[in-house]
Amino acid sequence: MTTFSSAPPRQAHPTARAAVEADQGRPIHRQNVGELERWISGAAGAALVLHGLRQRSLASLALAAVGGGLIQRGATGHCQLYHRLGVSTADARRPALKHGDVHRGILIKRSVTVSRPIEEVFAFWRHLENLPRFMLHLQSVSSTGPDRSHWVVRGPMGSTIEWDAEIINEKPNELIAWRSVEGSEVDHAGTVRFSRAPGDRGTEVHVELNYEPPGGQFGRAIAWLFGEEPRIQMEDDLSRFKQVMETGEIASVDGQPRGH
Amino acid sequence: MKALCWLGKNRLAVEDVPDPKIINPRDAVLKITRTAICGSDLHLLDGFIPQMERGDILGHEFMGEVMEVGPEVKNLKPGDRVVVPFTISCGNCFFCNKQLWSLCDNSNPDARTCETMYGYTGAGLFGYSHIYGGYAGGQAQYARVPFADVGPLKVPESLKDEQVLFLSDILPTAYMAAENCNIERGDTVAVFGCGPVGLLAIVSAYALGAERVIAIDRIPERLRMAQSRAKADVLNYEQVDLMEAIKEMTGGRGPDSCIDAVGLEAHGTTLDAWYDLARTTLMMETDRSHALRRAIQVCRKGGTVSIPGVYGGLLDKFPMGLAFAKGLTLRMGQTHMQRYMKPLLERIEKGEIDPTFIITHRLPLDAAPEAYKTFRDKQDDCVKVVLDPWAS
């Protein structure tokens, strides 16, 4: 049983803490927003301003004002909210996540039961090239060695993000754990556990992802606005995984006729 | 092709749209020979079902000729004449394997909405909002049928379209409703609502051994049909005190089971019905459950209330205490179509069931927008509309 005292402390990134400490008593206009995030912030701000000004309602004007704030944030590299929270994403290099590390990144846990034998379910997942079939934001995964793979992901607003990952633990028909290699653009670690569902009801697949979204918490909020919230994405990915395993195809209405 | 499209609440139009094509390996494309308007389609017309989008093609009761099949469909070939169940089922998941076809895990491509609302998703449905997948429906000249190796049932040439068309929804729905009543010898069944499903539920209850069926409605033509064609005893709830009348007819016991073939847009004359009307009009309530309340009220102790009528949201003033005190069994849900289609086709072939008696209107597809309103407003003694997509 977990108690409060035994739970690992939830703490800010060491370098972020250092940045906050160094901030004490200094002018507030210090850069605390990372480069990629600045770019995303600026672009999202511009989109909101354009969208907000096009419709002439009170709510749209408010949206345009928020957009203005984002542009300023992107241009100056300083975020008031991050400052208050003592957070910074401006550090160029971040260490890769260690397995089991509770970071200030995002932890996603989702599971699904698939009515197929465990060997089949494990084998399909372990062949990492299969992942883009049901993880729609993945453009490609290619094996570059026995434990190494190269991942290309569709990011928000048409960008792509790439990294290399390595499998750090593998037990056939039981578990696959991986993490992004040191110095990757995305800090990312994950585990998939496979277990037999009771009464021959197939295979339970439990996924745990721990990652720092590109563009920080802010990027996550923006992605959420555009329907790419990672928890939801994972849930949708898993139901597509189930569909592929059970039915051999993914249910779709793309390309069907409709009226005007 | 021509297709009936939903443009907004109370706004339908027949439009020219592109022909459907095969999207997935287990798809088929059908040329539709007959299609019907379902009572549940009226909930779409009236804007009771959320997540409709402008341009959605309606219709979930249809049959026709197979034009094309995907590479994984081995049991059908072009030229086969089939009737299509309104639910889309994969045939592979836990629920399909348990014959709970309408709870299929894998056929709703837009499961997100349903999961947000209900915490899970059921099977995808043709032409029934994006909650159920946003599949284009069958009130059109052609339709794409996903998982065509699991759904469509081949029908013999000896039977006319109209004899088998209702295997697509209302006959299995009515039959499952009656089966859910666990009818025993000597049983009396009360059927609330004498629309198409109610009328066929009367027929099904007799087919399953009911001694007597009491049918309840307020539309004289429907009550006449229930009496003369389906052999029910009838009650017009606008003219009698329903509780008193049913007690009197059943020697004070109450019916052994009740079927709510009305659903979420119930009408009534008692206080609770006006309360529902006011609350739904003010958007403070989603469903008007007057018929269900009545069914729970009149059903005998230890009886069964079977609910084929559709509900979508939250019910107000649901008499749970009464249901509990009487130890009622409530059974409900979308029809598990594949369980019933083949056995019912055999009954139709043997002449045991002829569902065509409910058809009052035969019209071309072009007349569909008007026909929806005629059906909804119960004008012109309308009970069931069958559409021919190719007639002009």
Side-chain angles (χ1 to χ4, degrees), chain B residues 39-87:
Chain B
S40 65
D41 287 333
L42 299 177
H43 305 319
L44 304 174
L45 177 72
D46 293 344
F48 268 79
I49 306 290
Q51 300 285 331
M52 287 295 293
E53 286 174 18
R54 190 188 161 92
D56 284 347
I57 299 172
L58 299 185
H60 58 264
E61 298 182 2
F62 59 99
M63 59 177 299
E65 184 191 330
V66 175
M67 300 301 288
E68 197 187 346
V69 295
E72 293 299 324
V73 180
K74 312 290 186 198
N75 59 328
L76 296 177
K77 58 182 189 311
D80 283 346
R81 188 163 158 255
V82 294
V83 56
V84 178
F86 74 104
T87 50

Side-chain angles (χ1 to χ4, degrees), chain A residues 24-214:
Chain A
Q24 309 275 321
R26 289 179 61 177
I28 55 166
H29 290 294
R30 192 182 187 284
Q31 184 176 329
N32 61 1
V33 182
E35 284 310 308
L36 177 64
E37 188 177 341
R38 282 178 70 178
W39 182 85
I40 291 172
S41 188
L48 284 182
V49 168
L50 281 177
H51 176 81
L53 291 181
R54 213 172 293 149
Q55 348 245 321
R56 285 160 190 281
S57 73
L58 206 60
S60 325
L61 283 177
L63 212 59
V66 172
L70 294 190
I71 293 176
Q72 193 204 11
R73 188 175 177 279
T76 62
H78 177 81
C79 176
Q80 277 290 351
L81 186 67
Y82 276 12
H83 180 72
R84 297 262 162 80
L85 293 174
V87 168
S88 170
T89 54
D91 319 292
R93 261 194 79 256
R94 276 170 272 152
L97 293 175
K98 284 179 204 72
H99 185 57
D101 193 5
V102 178
H103 225 261
R104 83 199 143 85
I106 295 167
L107 178 70
I108 306 168
K109 287 164 98 168
R110 281 292 178 267
S111 54
V112 73
T113 301
V114 179
S115 292
R116 300 300 305 168
I118 199 165
E119 297 76 18
E120 202 181 306
V121 176
F122 179 87
F124 189 90
W125 195 293
R126 178 62 184 84
H127 187 65
L128 300 175
E129 277 82 353
N130 279 332
L131 299 185
R133 265 188 84 182
F134 61 90
M135 294 184 162
L136 294 193
H137 61 296
L138 280 185
Q139 196 166 304
S140 67
V141 178
S142 39
S143 292
T144 49
D147 291 330
R148 283 221 166 199
S149 49
H150 184 71
W151 299 55
V152 184
V153 165
R154 295 184 190 94
M157 290 175 286
S159 59
T160 61
I161 301 154
E162 306 189 17
W163 72 85
D164 288 307
E166 60 184 341
I167 289 180
I168 51 174
N169 195 1
E170 177 180 353
K171 292 182 193 155
N173 302 331
E174 206 174 304
L175 159 96
I176 307 169
W178 71 92
R179 69 173 174 211
S180 52
V181 300
E182 193 124 347
S184 292
E185 192 176 350
V186 174
D187 287 345
H188 165 92
T191 314
V192 198
R193 286 169 210 279
F194 303 83
S195 61
R196 280 176 224 279
D200 286 331
R201 289 178 192 187
T203 305
E204 288 182 14
V205 181
H206 297 266
V207 181
E208 257 186 70
L209 278 185
N210 193 193
Y211 80 106
E212 291 219 31

